Amino acid sequence: MSTSHPPLLELSDLRVAPVADDGSVGKEILKGISLTLRAGTVHALMGRNGSGKSTLSAVLMGHPKFRVTGGSMKYLGEDLTGIPVHERARKGLFLCFQYPMALPGVGVAQFLRQSVKGVRGADVPSKEFRPLVKKHLEALGIPQTFMTRYVNDGFSGGEKKRMEMLHMLLLEPRLAILDEVDSGLDVDALKVVAESINRLRSPERGQLLVTHYQRILDYVVPDEVHVLLDGEIVRSGAADLAREVESRGYEWLAKGAA
Amino acid sequence: MTPDNGPTPAETAAAERTASEARDIGGDYDRKYGFHDDESAYDFKSKKGLDHAIVEMISRYKKEPEWMRERRHAALDVFLAKPMPRWGNSKLLDDIDFANIHYYVRASERQGKTWEEVPEQVKKTFDRLGIPEAERKFLAGVTAQYESEVVYHSIREDLDKLGVVFTDMDTGLREHEEIVRRHWGTVIPSEDNKFSALNTAVWSGGSFVYVPKGVKVEIPLQAYFRINTENMGQFERTLIIADEGSQVHYIEGCTAPTYSSDSLHSAVVELIAMPGSKIRYTTIQNWSKNVYNLVTKRAVAHAGARVEWIDGNLGSKLTMKYPAVYLVGERAHAEILSVAFSGKDQHQDAGSKVVHVAPNTTSVVTSKSISKDGGRGTYRGLVKVHKGAKGAKVNVKCDALILDAASRSDTYPTMEVDEKKVAVEHEATVSKVGDEQLFFLMSRGLTEEEATLLIVNGFIEPFTKELPMEYAVELNRLIQLEMEGSVG
Ligand SMILES: Nc1ncnc2c1ncn2[C@@H]1O[C@H](COP(=O)(O)OP(=O)(O)O)[C@@H](O)[C@H]1O
Ligand SMILES: [Mg+2]
């Protein structure tokens, strides 16, 4: 990929703090993150619980609970700050939720259809939508009856993640941010999820794979790996960094550790 | 929902544009339902106010039997003697000016059996409301009431041949006096409450339905109620009798023009479900926001019968309505499913009442209330299980969804259980449209309005899915108008 194009995602010294219900801004969670993700690459962001992974994922998508307090986050050269959540989706961002929300009474088919319409800016004819969905359902090993259920309502952990994958494949996002998509999955489900991500890979697209464990990286091999600790990237490297983290844990990367 | 550090000026301008467009859409009630017809050609309009002379005039005009005329006068005395209820919304109730209401208004003397026979202007109104079209497409029969009188009624010939009676209450009384006299007012006596007394005194129109033994009316009958005059009182009276093993689905809809002063709609609806029969009564109440909607609806279910109230309340200024079922025969079942949407300056005080008298009777009550823009939703429910109703099962579920901090929802469930061997379940939830849900939906490309609407529609889905498809679509559209109408 030529470097004259702006990168898909460029974070420079990004600082983020939570906003409480009363509007007060809390202590910084992300304390200056810099990262450049180019089209055609997969980056893994690793970190133990509480290091700020979900915060980063959420702020990229525009969660109202977080405020950018310093630095910048650019998507295709454009600063994301201030762009409404749905506009980000329309620009090609996708966040795969660590805990997808249940929407009782909202049918899967209706939701997906409306979402695709929103993102594309035009209605999708049934003629096109149905076979497309069918293809993805088969690939994900989901029965057709899934479409008549309510979104994530009473879904198992594995079903929720498959639902997220189905949604991602339908939207074909330019930049997918996947927040712990591997957590709580058995090996079979993990493989299905990994296949979906790999299917999305292309020279125009990129993926930010946020994870606690190295396991999924055996199936989706990243181009770069970053380790997040207490809101800072403490080390970046190639795929083998993930294996090192797997065998040595996170402790040795902590500041001041030997 | 504000992302990161708030909207840019361009977004603010865009949001304001959307909001003003949305306000225009909200004015759609006026265009679609709120229009007002000219009254110069009206046949008759009683002077404002209520006394025995008015009651006498109504009864004489209708050439009613003596017993009905006497009942009306007796009911008027009950109405005048009874104090205004001190519950519900006393303040709004006290605002009703009974002296400033026309109790009987007739646009036309004739009643049509074809739409061609209906006066041109009235026909146009119902055309605009889509009634003849719906009739052609999916209804087994229609009555259309305009002001105090039913101006059109028809029933499919095949049902007529099977002995199904579907007519306006006045014709019902004339042509089926024996049945009417036996049942009329037995489920809801005029002394039941102030408004049932008022209705008994000045009733006009409404439906009379009789389904003979074993006859199953598979497609719905519909009644449509339209108020046109300002300061009008509409007091229709409906009696539905499903004989043994029969089945019927009755749907009612209602609208009115928007006026600056109030109108009153006070109906009485009595259902009698004989052993093994099934009655479903569906309401989509969409009165304009100057209408008081104070309605008494009650059913009696005999052994093995099933009564279902599917009750949707969107419009009106104040609604007080608690569809009731008395389960008097063994294994009778009651299903009460309701939705109330309270917007700006609206109070929906709705609920249900189930009385278990016989053993092994069952009831399921599901109430959904949505309040928005300072609207107020109240659920008021009574479950009574009499001693001896062994094996009764009761399930009550009330869910409230509050869309903003200015709105309000209250739940007043009352349980009186005098029998030990019963299973009573009650659950109540109050929820707000959460930031997390909105964020999830918006991250998938939906605007905040679209996301909220999807959540609201999901919330009432248990209700919507019980409606015939055409009504479900219409309800979702009405909710959408309510949601859009007040943005910004
Ligand atoms: N809304 C919030 N308000 C205050 N603190 C928060 C909020 N969200 C997350 N945090 C804190 O920020 C830190 C990072 O959380 P998170 O991003 O969820 O980490 P991870 O996903 O890596 O487990 C944690 O200490 C967490 O408690
Ligand atoms: Mg997390």
Side-chain angles (χ1 to χ4, degrees), chain A residues 116-159:
Chain A
V116 172
K117 181 183 172 188
V119 167
R120 287 195 193 173
D123 211 349
V124 212
S126 301
K127 269 208 312 251
E128 183 192 335
F129 189 69
R130 285 219 197 92
L132 189 64
V133 166
K134 193 159 177 277
K135 184 184 87 180
H136 292 312
L137 287 176
E138 279 164 12
L140 290 165
I142 308 174
Q144 195 76 35
T145 52
F146 200 79
M147 297 302 285
T148 62
R149 294 174 68 181
Y150 297 141
V151 179
N152 295 320
D153 194 27
F155 282 23
S156 70
E159 283 175 329

Side-chain angles (χ1 to χ4, degrees), chain B residues 105-387:
Chain B
V105 180
R106 191 169 66 229
S108 151
E109 197 164 2
R110 283 183 309 167
Q111 184 182 84
K113 286 204 189 309
T114 66
W115 284 105
E116 282 63 45
E117 290 166 25
V118 175
E120 187 56 27
Q121 188 183 299
V122 176
K123 176 183 177 295
K124 253 199 220 145
T125 291
F126 287 107
D127 271 337
R128 265 177 99 165
L129 297 168
I131 309 304
E133 191 193 347
E135 178 184 8
R136 280 193 300 276
K137 281 194 192 149
F138 56 85
L139 295 169
V142 167
T143 69
Q145 178 159 347
Y146 191 84
E147 314 289 29
S148 299
E149 292 289 351
V150 169
V151 293
Y152 171 81
H153 83 84
S154 81
I155 180 161
R156 266 185 16 192
E157 231 172 87
D158 54 330
L159 294 173
D160 197 27
K161 286 200 179 108
L162 287 169
V164 176
V165 179
F166 174 44
T167 181
D168 64 284
M169 193 67 234
D170 297 274
T171 306
L173 174 61
R174 266 196 315 275
E175 295 179 359
H176 307 274
E177 189 182 337
E178 272 320 295
I179 309 181
V180 171
R181 189 169 188 176
R182 196 157 62 241
H183 296 286
W184 202 92
T186 57
V187 186
I188 305 172
S190 63
E191 313 80 51
D192 188 79
N193 64 73
K194 190 169 177 74
F195 291 94
S196 63
L198 175 62
N199 176 281
T200 306
V202 294
W203 74 270
S204 181
S207 301
F208 174 65
V209 178
Y210 172 77
V211 188
K213 278 186 190 170
V215 173
K216 293 190 163 60
V217 183
E218 306 281 358
I219 50 176
L221 305 173
Q222 174 171 298
Y224 200 93
F225 298 93
R226 175 75 181 173
I227 294 178
N228 181 55
T229 298
E230 188 165 13
N231 304 124
M232 157 82 191
Q234 194 175 55
F235 306 96
E236 89 267 12
R237 179 87 190 200
T238 290
L239 172 63
I240 299 178
I241 303 166
D243 216 329
E244 283 177 38
S246 70
Q247 183 180 315
V248 65
H249 182 187
Y250 177 91
I251 301 180
E252 66 170 2
C254 33
T255 55
T258 311
Y259 289 116
S260 52
S261 60
D262 302 326
S263 290
L264 171 61
H265 173 251
S266 192
V268 165
V269 176
E270 300 176 284
L271 310 184
I272 299 173
M274 300 304 277
S277 68
K278 177 180 163 185
I279 301 177
R280 170 175 282 211
Y281 192 109
T282 299
T283 305
I284 303 290
Q285 179 268 104
N286 186 27
W287 293 115
S288 53
K289 285 172 189 166
N290 53 296
V291 174
Y292 279 89
N293 185 44
L294 308 169
V295 171
T296 310
K297 290 184 165 173
R298 190 175 301 163
V300 171
H302 292 279
R306 182 181 173 95
V307 171
E308 302 170 345
W309 293 106
I310 313 289
D311 202 51
N313 297 295
L314 281 132
S316 87
K317 175 184 205 156
L318 170 66
T319 287
M320 285 175 67
K321 175 167 48 160
Y322 320 93
V325 184
Y326 282 65
L327 300 160
V328 301
E330 222 176 313
R331 290 181 328 284
H333 178 76
E335 193 92 25
I336 304 175
L337 178 55
S338 63
V339 163
F341 189 107
S342 329
K344 192 167 184 298
D345 301 324
Q346 277 187 289
H347 184 181
Q348 304 280 7
D349 196 301
S352 66
K353 194 164 147 186
V354 185
V355 181
H356 291 256
V357 182
N360 299 314
T361 46
T362 51
S363 61
V364 176
V365 174
T366 311
S367 154
K368 299 264 178 185
S369 109
I370 300 160
S371 21
K372 183 173 189 295
D373 296 321
R376 187 171 162 200
T378 304
Y379 173 79
R380 206 179 290 279
L382 170 71
V383 171
K384 174 146 182 91
V385 182
H386 282 272
K387 185 134 195 66

Side-chain angles (χ1 to χ4, degrees), chain A residues 54 98 179-180:
Chain A
S54 291
Q98 183 174 359
D179 189 6
E180 298 210 29

